[in-house]
Amino acid sequence: MTAQITPLIAGNWKMNGTTASLGEVQKLAGLLTQGGGPRCTVVICPPATLLERLNELAASSGIVTGGQDCHPAPSGAHTGDISAQMLADAGAQYVIVGHSERRTDHHETDDLVQLKALAVHSAGLVPIICVGETEDQRDAGDALSVVAAQLAGSLPDDWTGHEIVIAYEPVWAIGTGRTPTPAEIAEMHDAIRADLETRFGERGAATRILYGGSMKPSNASQILRIGNVNGGLVGGASLLANDFHAIISAV
Ligand code: PGA
């Protein structure tokens, strides 16, 4: 990890979680409080239906919340969508945009992801912008160029006053139990850092770059030790308090 950057561990619950799941949050809050509080920023991105209740439960233990997606517009006739303003109103501080499941299931393009990131900024929240290659792209030797193109297209050019978080999530590692080698993660995170520094100077040097894709208690400390890995975006392992706590503790 990079010493001067406060790490961030974010849990992405995806389309999982009902009232019963709040018990896991209560348990996690207890574990964190017993341990004297987390040594990193801890974010949980639950389904929007649980956002407010999760905030109430978790705030005192230092956990903050985020949305999993938003519409680029602040309001309007967009049935079923949710805006960044609404997520802010419910207490969110972060919003994931451009997750590969959104890019695949909803055909989201880099242009749309960039509009969403700008909408998140307008609402005063921090976007977690996801990028990552497919297995075919990696096998073809295109992983670095694919991610560079996604970064070029998904990050707003006029990024000035606000924070941005990048999450590198190889699509083939999400939910599969497979991860890239430490050398592959290091190569990609170094390339993303260089890209951010070229484009945004000191802001790029200070930006948190998360790794995501089958991060779990057994591999977290190895991954979090890699240079330019400033935290993780955790799916499956964020649903159970003990697993997520073990990952947070690996920081
Ligand atoms: P996973 O998901 O940890 O279950 O692989 C990560 C993600 O999609 O954010």
Side-chain angles (χ1 to χ4, degrees):
M1 285 195 287
T2 319
Q4 67 277 22
I5 299 179
T6 306
L8 187 158
I9 301 290
N12 172 13
W13 281 16
K14 311 191 180 188
M15 201 172 71
N16 298 294
T18 56
T19 302
S21 323
L22 295 173
E24 289 299 314
V25 178
Q26 214 153 12
K27 187 168 165 186
L28 175 67
L31 290 167
L32 290 173
T33 308
Q34 274 164 35
R39 286 190 301 276
C40 59
T41 308
V42 177
V43 184
I44 296 180
C45 302
T49 46
L50 293 178
L51 206 46
E52 285 200 68
R53 281 181 287 166
L54 207 151
N55 265 316
E56 280 162 24
L57 259 183
S60 63
S61 62
I63 300 169
V64 300
T65 58
Q68 298 178 9
D69 177 52
C70 68
H71 192 279
S75 62
H78 305 290
T79 303
D81 278 315
I82 194 160
S83 74
Q85 267 81 357
M86 292 167 175
L87 295 167
D89 183 52
Q93 296 186 28
Y94 293 81
V95 185
I96 299 170
V97 294
H99 190 282
S100 68
E101 285 150 16
R102 301 285 318 173
R103 291 177 185 263
T104 304
D105 296 355
H106 299 273
H107 314 290
E108 292 194 2
T109 61
D110 290 332
D111 286 348
L112 179 61
V113 173
Q114 181 173 153
L115 290 175
K116 291 183 177 203
L118 288 167
V120 173
H121 275 170
S122 299
L125 308 182
V126 178
I128 301 175
I129 303 175
C130 301
V131 294
E133 82 286 356
T134 64
E135 185 160 32
D136 284 351
Q137 289 165 334
R138 179 159 283 275
D139 289 347
D142 295 336
L144 289 170
S145 60
V146 165
V147 168
Q150 287 176 334
L151 282 176
S154 308
L155 266 65
D157 273 325
D158 55 351
W159 170 33
T160 47
H162 294 91
E163 187 188 347
I164 276 178
V165 176
I166 305 296
Y168 166 58
E169 297 205 306
V171 178
W172 52 274
I174 295 175
T176 59
R178 296 162 57 207
T179 55
T181 64
E184 286 168 337
I185 295 175
E187 180 187 42
M188 184 62 80
H189 280 244
D190 289 351
I192 293 173
R193 174 71 66 211
D195 205 309
L196 291 173
E197 285 179 347
T198 304
R199 215 168 141 192
F200 303 110
E202 282 188 10
R203 295 188 69 78
T207 296
R208 293 189 273 202
I209 308 172
L210 314 182
Y211 169 79
S214 297
M215 187 181 265
K216 44 191 183 234
S218 58
N219 62 21
S221 64
Q222 187 186 34
I223 293 173
L224 291 169
R225 215 178 290 134
I226 298 169
N228 283 318
V229 173
N230 311 117
L233 182 54
V234 185
S238 71
L239 294 168
L240 294 174
N242 285 336
D243 285 357
F244 198 43
H245 182 252
I247 293 173
I248 294 164
S249 303
V251 170

